[in-house]
Amino acid sequence: MTLLTWNHACTVGVRALDDQHGILMDAMNELRLAVAHGSGREQLSQLLDQFIEFSRMHFASEERLMEQTGFGGLHEHRAKHQCLLAQVLQSAHRLQHGEGVEMTPLLDYLRNWYVEHISGTDQQYGPWLNKHGIS
Ligand SMILES: [Fe+2]
Ligand SMILES: [Fe+2]
């Protein structure tokens, strides 16, 4: 199992958001370790819920800053956040209700989504926010 590590391509240049991305990666790694150690459904459910809760807070922070500065790509960006949340909430719901969830594909999906999102989509607002005095 590989854990996620920070690299330069992940930096967006806004301190608070970079910190949040770091926390999201830590939360994802915690979930990966829990799966690798064979943790029970209840614990996995709790960790996944925490991860979702933090993702929500993070997405709201980004969207607020994009909105405040009139960033043109806000709607498209928000749609991507909503799409991820809808997918993950479905798995969290299944887990809560004792239904089977394949954790490894879910973790792979999350990892790929976040790496692509942070090193691609999130990069688009960095220079814009910096230009508007947010760093
Ligand atoms: Fe982000
Ligand atoms: Fe984002």
Side-chain angles (χ1 to χ4, degrees), residues 62 77 81 117 122:
E62 284 188 351
H77 198 134
H81 289 165
H117 189 81
D122 282 352

Side-chain angles (χ1 to χ4, degrees), residues 2-109:
T2 28
L3 293 178
L4 292 164
T5 50
W6 195 250
N7 71 59
H8 188 67
C10 292
T11 305
V12 295
V14 176
R15 183 61 174 277
L17 300 176
D18 282 327
D19 287 349
Q20 290 172 11
H21 286 151
I23 295 170
L24 276 168
M25 287 201 179
D26 287 345
M28 224 180 309
N29 283 334
E30 207 182 333
L31 198 51
R32 291 181 87 78
L33 284 171
V35 171
H37 293 151
S39 301
R41 191 182 57 80
E42 208 167 305
Q43 201 195 343
L44 295 180
S45 177
Q46 204 182 338
L47 287 172
L48 187 59
D49 286 348
Q50 278 171 17
F51 178 75
I52 291 171
E53 202 43 49
F54 194 78
S55 292
R56 270 193 218 276
M57 282 167 42
H58 168 64
F59 292 163
S61 300
E62 284 188 351
E63 289 165 19
R64 203 179 312 119
L65 289 174
M66 286 189 269
E67 196 160 20
Q68 279 168 7
T69 56
F71 179 65
L74 170 65
H75 294 296
E76 203 187 321
H77 198 134
R78 180 182 277 143
K80 288 181 181 172
H81 289 165
Q82 285 171 345
C83 180
L84 182 274
L85 282 176
Q87 299 238 24
V88 184
L89 279 168
Q90 224 172 27
S91 298
H93 190 261
R94 289 176 62 86
L95 208 53
Q96 270 163 17
H97 291 85
E99 295 169 44
V101 174
E102 292 283 346
M103 289 305 288
T104 304
L106 173 64
L107 289 171
D108 287 344
Y109 170 76

Side-chain angles (χ1 to χ4, degrees), residues 110-126:
L110 284 178
R111 181 189 54 201
N112 293 337
W113 192 91
Y114 273 89
V115 168
E116 256 176 55
H117 189 81
I118 295 171
S119 62
T121 308
D122 282 352
Q123 296 299 315
Q124 294 163 5
Y125 63 58

